[in-house]
Structure formats: C-alpha cells, structure tokens
Amino acid sequence: MKSVNETTSRPFEFIIHTICWGMFFGFSLFFTQRDNGTIDWNAFLHHSLVPASFFVIFYINYFLYIPRILFRNHLKQFLLLNLLTIFVFAVLLRAWHGIYMPPPPQQFRPSPPVFIFYLRDIASLVFTVGLSVAIRMSIRWSEAEAARREAVKSRMEAELKSLRNQLNPHFLLNTLNNIYALIAFDTDKAQQAVQELSRLLRYVLYDNQEKYVPLCKEVGFICNYIELMRIRVTEDVDIETHFDIKPDSQTPIAPLIFISLIENAFKHGISPTNHSFIHISLTEKDGQVNCVIRNSNYPKNENDKSGSGIGLEQVQKRLELLYPGRYKWECNLSEDQKEYYSSITITT
C-alpha cells in the first residue's frame, strides 16, 4: 500500500515531467517549420533525437542512478557512472550529426572545431543530470518533510490524548473531595452536588474526547462547575462571574482548558475563617478568548493531599501543543501574597 506522502507527490511529479518534456520537444517544432506553416516531420524526427537523448539520460538517473546509488551514499560510483554515460551519449550524438548533417560547402565559412560541439553536448547532458538530481531531491525532501509533519502531528495527538486521560481522573478526584467534605455537615447539599457532578461528567466523558468544542458548551460547563462549588462554600466567600461571549458561540476552544485554573482558585482561594473572594471573567472579542481569574490566596499546607497537583502543568502543556505562538498566560501573586492573578488569552 502506498503511503500518503507518495500519493500526494505523484500528481505534482507528473506535472513537472509533462511541462519540462513538452517544452523540450516543443522547441524542435520551431526549427522544423516550413515557410508555409507546415511541419517537416523528417526534420522534426532528426532534431528530436537530441532532446530524446536528454530524455533517456534524465530517466536513467531518475529511476536508476539516483535512488539506487546516490540515495545510498555511493557518490563516487554515481559520478563515475554518469561520466561514462555522458561520454557515450556525447559520442553517439556527434556520430548522428556527422551522418545527417554533412559539413557545409567550401564557399561558406568553416565550421567550428569538433571539440566545441563535444563541449556543448557534454554541458547539455551534465545539465540534464543536474536537473534530474534536483527534481528527485526536491521530491524526496518534500516527502520527508510531509512525513516529519505527520509524525509530529501523531505525537501531538498522542500526547494530548494522554493529557486528557490524566485530566479526567484529576478533575473527578478534586470534585469527589469537595462532595466528601459536604457529606459531613450537609447531606442535602451533598445530594445536590452529586446531581451537578453527573451533568459535569457527561461533558467530561463525551465532549472532552474532541480536540475542540464550541465555546458556548465550554462556558456552560464552567458555569455548572462553579455552581457545584458554590454549594460547599459559605456566604463569607465572594464569588463573582462575568461571561461575555457571542450568543451560542461556536468558536472552537480546547475542552477543559480553563478548568484547572478555576479548580486552583477554589482550592487555594478559600479560607474557613477569613473573608475570601473568587472573581472569574471570560470574554470573547476580536478573535480572542480571554479568561481572567482573581482570588484570595490561602495556600494549602503540605499535608493537604486534595487533588493531584498536576492541573496547572497540564494547562501549560496543552497550551503549547494546541496554541503554539497563539496564547499568552500571565500569573502572579500580589506583593502582600494575599491575591493571586491568572490570565490566559487565546487567539482562535
């Protein structure tokens, strides 16, 4: 079975050969046209021998010398064989011209020395060999580049799939920890949280398998997640959200690309005793999607094992894979270490 690279290169290769040889043999028609506009076909066949010899030496190299010798790094053998082939064809061309093109009459100026014609023919044949090498090498490079891009694409898809497979249990673990905390003091809220979780899991299990999802779906998922988080926090936590996207926006966005940042805000931004806040803004404007999160900062101690700690690393890796050169991520702590700021801007 032929590879994709071979299949796509064949039409391009055929077009190159057709144009080159059409022009080569077409020149003979200009030199064999009679005054009345008709073609002297006997003269055309004679003049066509020269491009025909180029045709033969071109394809000897194209199908034999280059793939079987040059591409196997036998450069000296390739050069020697071409020198021998060029010499043989130069001699045959001179013999052909000697038979069918007799010397001019004495009253005309003498013809140039024979070695001049040899030099001309040899130079033309060397150019033909060079053209064959150039075309063969360019096609080989094109196929190698296409294979490299295909390998990079496959590697990226495999890595993205691996990241998604990590993200699902990571997200589920954090959410179950939140529900577990609710069970201890409010079973009704815990039941409501399980219902909210079922909605989220439908999205995670099905839509997350796609490379991109409509922005409106992703925003809907984020809203459901925030509502789930609201259940477990007290009224002392100030949660503000602002979503400004096009109605039913179909702008493609990587699924769950922002959720780890939001998880991080709820994990490190809430204190059981002090006033806390989480402000989330997601906007779409001029081909860019911007997610900004500000939250109070109450970092967990080392004994807190909630979550797996890989969420933010995944965000960085996915951004690099999905939006290379098309994203900007800023994050920092305020000078007093009390506020955390994170902003991701993606050019879609």
Side-chain angles (χ1 to χ4, degrees):
M1 182 180 292
K2 292 184 178 180
S3 67
V4 175
N5 298 331
E6 291 177 340
T7 303
T8 54
S9 66
R10 293 308 178 206
F12 173 72
E13 190 177 359
F14 176 76
I15 291 171
I16 289 178
H17 295 312
T18 302
I19 293 175
C20 289
W21 292 115
M23 292 175 63
F24 229 118
F25 283 100
F27 277 120
S28 298
L29 296 175
F30 291 102
F31 295 106
T32 58
Q33 189 174 13
R34 298 191 180 99
D35 293 336
N36 60 3
T38 60
I39 301 297
D40 184 346
W41 291 107
N42 288 328
F44 172 75
L45 291 175
H46 165 66
H47 284 285
S48 294
L49 179 68
V50 176
S53 64
F54 296 158
F55 184 94
V56 173
I57 202 169
F58 179 94
Y59 284 108
I60 286 176
N61 274 274
Y62 196 86
F63 291 114
L64 184 62
Y65 292 171
I66 297 174
R68 298 190 180 184
I69 300 174
L70 182 61
F71 285 173
R72 295 179 182 177
N73 298 321
H74 301 308
L75 180 60
K76 290 182 179 179
Q77 185 180 351
F78 173 77
L79 293 175
L80 288 173
L81 282 172
N82 266 296
L83 286 174
L84 179 61
T85 306
I86 289 171
F87 176 76
V88 171
F89 271 81
V91 171
L92 292 176
L93 283 173
R94 280 298 87 216
W96 173 265
H97 283 291
I99 295 172
Y100 286 93
M101 295 183 68
Q106 292 295 324
Q107 64 268 27
F108 294 99
R109 64 181 181 178
S111 60
V114 174
F115 79 89
I116 295 295
F117 293 103
Y118 274 107
L119 288 177
R120 183 197 64 186
D121 293 342
I122 289 173
S124 299
L125 292 170
V126 168
F127 172 78
T128 303
V129 172
L131 181 64
S132 179
V133 172
I135 294 176
R136 202 72 163 85
M137 291 291 286
S138 65
I139 291 174
R140 188 191 192 200
W141 177 86
S142 177
E143 291 177 349
E145 183 64 16
R148 186 192 67 80
R149 288 196 299 267
E150 187 68 24
V152 170
K153 180 182 177 182
S154 298
R155 188 170 67 251
M156 286 177 59
E157 290 176 351
E159 188 168 350
L160 282 170
K161 184 177 181 180
S162 175
L163 287 172
R164 284 197 297 265
N165 290 339
Q166 292 178 43
L167 185 60
N168 287 347
H170 170 258
F171 167 80
L172 181 59
L173 178 61
N174 282 349
T175 307
L176 288 176
N177 281 331
N178 292 331
I179 295 176
Y180 176 78
L182 284 174
I183 293 174
F185 63 88
D186 195 329
T187 55
D188 291 336
K189 282 189 176 182
Q191 290 176 352
Q192 183 183 348
V194 171
Q195 292 177 348
E196 294 289 343
L197 177 61
S198 67
R199 296 193 187 97
L200 297 180
L201 288 181
R202 289 192 197 99
Y203 182 87
V204 171
L205 294 176
Y206 298 107
D207 292 328
N208 187 38
Q209 301 309 310
E210 301 294 330
K211 188 175 182 179
Y212 298 103
V213 296
L215 182 59
C216 62
K217 275 192 173 184
E218 183 69 10
V219 169
F221 168 79
I222 291 173
C223 290
N224 288 336
Y225 178 81
I226 293 172
E227 291 307 310
L228 175 59
M229 293 298 100
R230 284 183 192 272
I231 296 174
R232 61 160 294 194
V233 302
T234 65
E235 295 181 355
D236 292 334
V237 181
D238 176 23
I239 300 177
E240 292 184 6
T241 59
H242 173 70
F243 297 101
D244 184 12
I245 67 170
K246 300 173 185 176
D248 297 325
S249 175
Q250 297 300 303
T251 300
I253 197 76
L256 308 183
I257 196 68
F258 304 120
I259 196 63
S260 292
L261 301 180
I262 298 174
E263 282 184 320
N264 195 59
F266 279 96
K267 179 179 178 182
H268 299 290
I270 298 176
S271 168
T273 57
N274 300 322
H275 174 73
S276 310
F277 70 91
I278 298 173
H279 297 165
I280 300 170
S281 171
L282 196 150
T283 60
E284 176 187 20
K285 185 178 181 181
D286 298 330
Q288 291 186 328
V289 176
N290 176 239
C291 180
V292 178
I293 301 173
R294 296 179 184 274
N295 57 271
S296 48
N297 184 47
Y298 298 102
K300 305 302 181 187
N301 58 49
E302 295 182 357
N303 295 326
D304 189 337
K305 303 299 182 181
S306 62
S308 60
I310 63 174
L312 297 184
E313 293 180 9
Q314 288 181 329
V315 173
Q316 183 68 52
K317 289 181 181 179
R318 294 185 72 203
L319 286 171
E320 287 292 338
L321 289 170
L322 293 168
Y323 302 102
R326 295 192 292 127
Y327 79 93
K328 183 179 181 181
W329 186 7
E330 298 177 345
C331 54
N332 55 68
L333 276 172
S334 61
E335 292 184 2
D336 59 5
Q337 305 289 301
K338 292 184 178 181
E339 180 179 332
Y340 182 79
Y341 168 85
S342 179
S343 172
I344 293 180
T345 301
I346 296 174
T347 301
T348 55

